[in-house]
Amino acid sequence: MATVHERFPLPPEALWQALPNGVTAVKGKNPYYDAAAGYVTFSTSMGLFSYGQTVTVKVERTSEGSGLAIQTSLKFGFIDFGEGKRIARKFIAAVGASVGHTPAV
């Protein structure tokens, strides 16, 4: 399991609108968006080197603007060998690119 946080100097609404770009970048499947709670959850596919991950991304209001809290967990297995953090960083980069902000990931 990996948890990654990133802050953006933007309002939470701007990040919320950019979440689909992050889901697309990591090839997320079956995204479920809960606007009232401010999160999206989806899964990644199983592959040759991966059992797949379940990913939950929460948009949070911060004093600087907003932030993303990304939590990943394996669908099957015990050690992800850094895959969760790679997925989170790719997600953050895609959201950042769509809102015009380059995060320091």
Side-chain angles (χ1 to χ4, degrees):
M1 181 186 297
T3 302
V4 177
H5 297 272
E6 183 64 40
R7 294 182 182 197
F8 293 83
L10 303 163
E13 297 77 20
L15 283 185
W16 180 257
Q17 296 298 319
L19 292 183
N21 295 324
V23 173
T24 301
V26 297
K27 299 178 183 166
K29 307 290 182 205
N30 304 319
Y32 172 74
Y33 296 90
D34 187 339
Y39 76 90
V40 61
T41 187
F42 59 91
S43 61
T44 61
S45 296
M46 230 168 140
L48 185 59
F49 299 107
S50 171
Y51 288 115
Q53 300 263 344
T54 300
V55 182
T56 302
V57 180
K58 182 152 179 62
V59 177
E60 302 170 327
R61 186 173 300 277
T62 66
S63 59
E64 297 88 21
S66 59
L68 294 178
I70 303 171
Q71 185 175 34
T72 64
S73 61
L74 285 171
K75 290 182 191 176
F76 176 78
F78 299 107
I79 302 172
D80 76 354
F81 299 101
E83 180 188 20
K85 287 189 178 185
R86 285 190 299 274
I87 289 170
R89 288 184 183 119
K90 191 171 185 178
F91 188 95
I92 289 167
V95 168
S98 80
V99 296
H101 175 72
T102 306
V105 179

